[in-house]
Amino acid sequence: MIYFDNSATTLPFPEVVNSFVKVSTEYFGNPSSLHGIGAMAERLLSQARNQIAELLEVKEREIFFTSGGTEGNNLAIKGVALAHQNRGKHIIISSIEHPSVKLACEQLQTMGFEVTYLNVDKFGRVSVDELEKSLRQDTILVSVMHVNNETGTIQPIVEIGNRLKNYPKVLFHVDNVQGVGKVDLNIKGSHIDLCTFSAHKFHGLKGNGFLYVREGVPISPLLSGGNQEMKLRSGTENVAGAVSTARALRMIKQEMETGKTHIDEIKQYLRSNLETIEGVVINTSIQFSAPHILNFSLPGMKSEVVIHDLEEKGIYVSTTSACSSKKKTISQTVLAMTNDETLAGSTVRISLSYQNNLEEAKAFIETFIHTIKQLKQVMRS
């Protein structure tokens, strides 16, 4: 099997699974319980929070455990909106945000909030100048993703953060789900106020994640209950999930130190070979893209047919993001970049991990060329 769909989800590290099982079975207490078993669970939860904070170079009390990226994005965006609505109801996001950001904003629009959608250029990047021009007196939040989940485009997060320093009443949220372990992001240095993470994108377990909230930033909780997570996210804490997430984050950061060149070589090999295949149009930019994502289009062909044909041969890739792929919708990201529905409707996404190798890339190219030839013959007949 060749698995090239790591932006959808990653294979958990064995050590991560082992830590989850160990904590679940040996330290199963409720962290809110007063007895010793509960106290042990509380200590493990605190240790996990501290480890994540140290890895990100932030404060322990700025880390809040969630169920993943969707909850993190919703908590950040709606939490800010509800807490700051008396000051303003204007939010700015890019036109290529993940559905968990876009749809959260659409829901807020039904509650009287206004949303400005920033255009992107041919590389899929927003203009910092356009963003600044879009700011208003009632703007309370700017939300821009770090790495695009479909094309791998890296947004100018540092530049945006530096520009927003001049507007201290405007909060800055970053969806960092796709960037973790692949593209460096200095949270404090980028002047980010809120930042979303999802464990299963960096070889952790599904249903786990965390949200960074800068100390002093008030946001409203979305879940009412027992006031866990410093009153921001009620519900009995997933201690095993938190511990395994901290371990996954530590391991992916270690792999990033040694594997960056390796994964970039694989991507460059794939790109250079795909460029020689007639009919293939590369959508991922060279200059502004993460090392693990490569997006291309097959105009005139149905990408789902290509995907399923490759699957039959043991190769797994995807079309749009995993959250949208089953809806058979065109890629809104590629459409925003190219204004070409033909390209946007025939996308294929390759997404790598540090576990992939060059031999797999060579096998993919060989199989892909054969698949395209076969499908073209069928289309002609």
Side-chain angles (χ1 to χ4, degrees):
M1 180 184 77
I2 297 175
Y3 185 73
F4 280 175
D5 195 20
N6 289 279
S7 286
T9 195
T10 54
L11 177 67
F13 290 130
E15 298 89 340
V16 167
V17 176
N18 291 340
S19 66
F20 182 89
V21 172
K22 184 178 179 66
V23 174
S24 296
T25 55
E26 297 183 24
Y27 307 99
F28 58 87
N30 188 321
S32 298
S33 297
L34 296 178
H35 49 62
I37 299 176
M40 176 57 75
E42 185 180 24
R43 280 196 294 274
L44 288 173
L45 185 67
S46 178
Q47 288 172 11
R49 198 187 312 275
N50 181 62
Q51 289 168 7
I52 290 172
E54 287 184 350
L55 288 166
L56 299 180
E57 299 180 336
V58 300
K59 298 175 182 177
E60 182 179 345
R61 55 183 173 273
E62 294 176 319
I63 300 298
F64 298 85
F65 290 110
T66 67
S67 63
T70 293
E71 184 189 344
N73 284 337
N74 273 263
L75 178 56
I77 292 166
K78 295 176 185 175
V80 166
L82 295 174
H84 298 266
Q85 59 184 322
N86 291 332
R87 185 171 58 78
K89 287 192 170 185
H90 181 232
I91 297 169
I92 299 173
I93 69 172
S94 83
S95 60
I96 60 169
E97 293 299 310
H98 188 270
S100 60
V101 170
K102 277 188 175 181
L103 295 179
C105 288
E106 287 181 15
Q107 185 178 6
L108 288 172
Q109 284 178 297
T110 67
M111 301 164 61
F113 288 83
E114 291 184 63
V115 181
T116 295
Y117 298 87
L118 300 174
N119 295 316
V120 295
D121 60 20
K122 63 181 181 179
F123 304 114
R125 299 203 351 142
V126 300
S127 163
V128 182
D129 289 335
E130 182 189 349
L131 188 157
E132 186 171 26
K133 289 176 183 176
S134 301
L135 293 171
R136 308 186 328 202
Q137 284 294 109
D138 60 340
T139 303
I140 56 174
L141 177 68
V142 170
S143 181
V144 178
M145 69 194 333
H146 183 207
V147 174
N148 183 264
N149 52 300
E150 292 188 47
T151 63
T153 298
I154 302 171
Q155 296 295 345
I157 298 300
V158 175
E159 292 88 337
I160 294 172
N162 285 331
R163 195 71 64 92
L164 290 177
K165 271 200 311 180
N166 301 319
Y167 305 88
K169 291 185 178 180
V170 179
L171 296 174
F172 183 27
H173 167 247
V174 174
D175 174 352
N176 192 34
V177 167
Q178 288 293 343
V180 184
K182 303 298 193 306
V183 184
D184 285 319
L185 180 66
N186 185 319
I187 292 177
K188 293 294 186 182
S190 302
H191 307 288
I192 295 169
D193 298 299
L194 307 103
C195 195
T196 304
F197 298 81
S198 180
H200 78 103
K201 304 296 187 178
F202 52 89
H203 304 280
L205 300 174
K206 298 174 187 66
N208 297 280
F210 56 92
L211 177 68
Y212 160 81
V213 182
R214 180 175 60 78
E215 187 177 24
V217 173
I219 66 174
S220 294
L222 303 185
L223 301 175
S224 301
N227 289 330
Q228 288 89 347
E229 290 302 295
M230 295 166 272
K231 299 184 178 181
L232 186 57
R233 202 265 187 182
S234 291
T236 302
E237 300 94 336
N238 181 356
V239 180
V243 171
S244 63
T245 296
R247 184 154 198 177
L249 184 63
R250 182 171 66 252
M251 292 181 68
I252 196 63
K253 282 188 167 288
Q254 290 170 348
E255 287 208 350
M256 185 179 176
E257 293 177 6
T258 58
K260 227 176 177 184
T261 302
H262 165 71
I263 199 172
D264 193 56
E265 286 176 356
I266 298 173
K267 179 183 173 182
Q268 294 312 314
Y269 175 86
L270 290 167
R271 185 184 189 105
S272 61
N273 280 274
L274 285 169
E275 286 175 335
T276 66
I277 301 173
E278 184 181 358
V280 172
V281 179
I282 306 291
N283 299 313
T284 297
S285 74
I286 297 176
Q287 188 177 359
F288 304 110
S289 66
H292 64 302
I293 299 177
L294 182 61
N295 185 294
F296 60 93
S297 293
L298 301 165
M301 300 188 73
K302 291 185 177 180
S303 52
E304 312 93 68
V305 176
V306 177
I307 301 294
H308 291 307
D309 190 87
L310 290 172
E311 180 186 359
E312 290 177 2
K313 295 164 184 173
I315 298 175
Y316 296 85
V317 293
S318 61
T319 53
T320 56
S321 70
C323 297
S324 306
S325 58
K326 288 188 177 180
K327 300 175 185 175
K328 297 187 183 299
T329 56
I330 66 173
S331 167
Q332 295 301 316
T333 299
V334 175
L335 183 63
M337 291 166 56
T338 65
N339 197 32
D340 188 325
E341 290 193 7
T342 302
L343 292 180
S346 60
T347 59
V348 175
R349 180 186 68 181
I350 297 172
S351 47
L352 308 168
S353 78
Y354 295 116
Q355 279 69 53
N356 291 127
N357 56 58
L358 198 56
E359 286 67 34
E360 291 176 323
K362 291 176 180 178
F364 168 82
I365 292 295
E366 184 179 336
T367 305
F368 180 74
I369 291 173
H370 182 66
T371 294
I372 295 301
K373 284 182 179 178
Q374 279 187 323
L375 292 176
K376 283 183 176 179
Q377 287 173 356
V378 172
M379 290 168 63
R380 292 192 195 102
S381 60

